[in-house]
């Protein structure tokens, strides 16, 4: 009986070493992988562990927030246009934003994000809205909640 107990304990120790090693590897990769590789991976991880839904993104002249769009694009895009957004891009909430179950206003709100919270784009944008009145660019984005990160 004691031998079986020792084998089980040894198996858990080995498993914990493997999991720890894998976590360390992911942490190192997150630091050294270029954004075009890491961002989609981070988006997939967020879609598994975060709250998923749809938000409306809208930007005014010179990357300014509009009354309807409460999100800042955290990438280096000069104008932060809807067409510039890619899977894995992060956005920070500037004023409350509704997260909906689907890509239209008819879908129910599942979460209201408050100022300072971050989300990540989990699918390529494909719901651009044309002919906006008080904005330069806008559309619907599939997103997930995520951390803002250390440097953004």
């Amino acid at each position: 009986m004691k031998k079986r107990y020792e084998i089980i304990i040894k198996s858990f120790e080995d498993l914990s070493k493997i999991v720890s090693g894998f976590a360390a590897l992911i942490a190192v990769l997150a630091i050294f992988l270029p954004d075009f590789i890491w961002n989609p991976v981070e988006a997939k991880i967020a879609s598994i562990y975060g709250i998923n839904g749809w938000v409306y993104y809208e930007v005014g002249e010179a990357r300014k927030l509009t009354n309807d769009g409460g999100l800042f694009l955290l990438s280096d895009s000069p104008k932060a246009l809807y067409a510039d957004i890619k899977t894995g891009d992060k956005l920070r909430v500037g004023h409350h934003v509704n997260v909906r179950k689907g890509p239209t206003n008819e879908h129910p709100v599942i979460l209201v994000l408050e100022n300072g919270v971050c989300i990540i784009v989990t699918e390529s944008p494909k719901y651009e809205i044309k002919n906006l009145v008080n904005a330069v660019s806008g559309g619907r984005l599939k997103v997930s909640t995520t951390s803002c990160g250390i440097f953004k």
Side-chain angles (χ1 to χ4, degrees):
M1 183 72 166
K2 187 174 182 183
K3 184 135 177 111
R4 184 178 293 166
Y5 176 74
E6 290 172 356
I7 292 171
I8 292 171
I9 295 297
K10 176 72 170 131
S11 297
F12 280 123
E13 288 174 355
D14 292 343
L15 181 62
S16 69
K17 288 177 185 176
I18 291 168
V19 170
S20 298
F22 185 69
L25 177 65
I26 288 176
V28 168
L29 290 176
I31 294 169
F32 294 109
L33 279 178
D35 285 348
F36 73 91
I37 295 173
W38 175 248
N39 286 357
V41 172
E42 188 176 11
K44 182 64 179 171
I45 292 168
S47 71
I48 294 169
Y49 296 108
I51 297 171
N52 298 288
W54 293 84
V55 296
Y56 177 68
Y57 173 79
E58 184 176 273
V59 65
E61 291 288 336
R63 295 180 62 118
K64 300 259 191 227
L65 285 181
T66 65
N67 288 336
D68 294 330
L71 297 166
F72 293 106
L73 180 62
L74 296 180
S75 74
D76 294 333
S77 170
K79 294 184 179 182
L81 300 176
Y82 181 84
D84 298 338
I85 298 173
K86 302 174 294 306
T87 300
D89 280 347
K90 287 187 178 180
L91 300 113
R92 185 182 307 255
V93 176
H95 57 77
H96 75 277
V97 171
N98 291 329
V99 179
R100 296 184 176 275
K101 194 169 184 88
T104 68
N105 282 343
E106 286 74 41
H107 288 91
V109 173
I110 57 174
L111 177 68
V112 177
L113 301 173
E114 298 298 327
N115 188 15
V117 173
C118 286
I119 53 177
I120 191 167
V121 178
T122 57
E123 283 185 9
S124 296
K126 54 188 166 220
Y127 293 99
E128 185 169 10
I129 297 172
K130 304 288 186 181
N131 303 324
L132 298 169
V133 177
N134 296 316
V136 175
S137 179
R140 304 285 179 176
L141 298 170
K142 185 154 189 198
V143 299
S144 183
T145 54
T146 191
S147 66
C148 288
I150 298 172
F151 302 109
K152 292 187 178 184

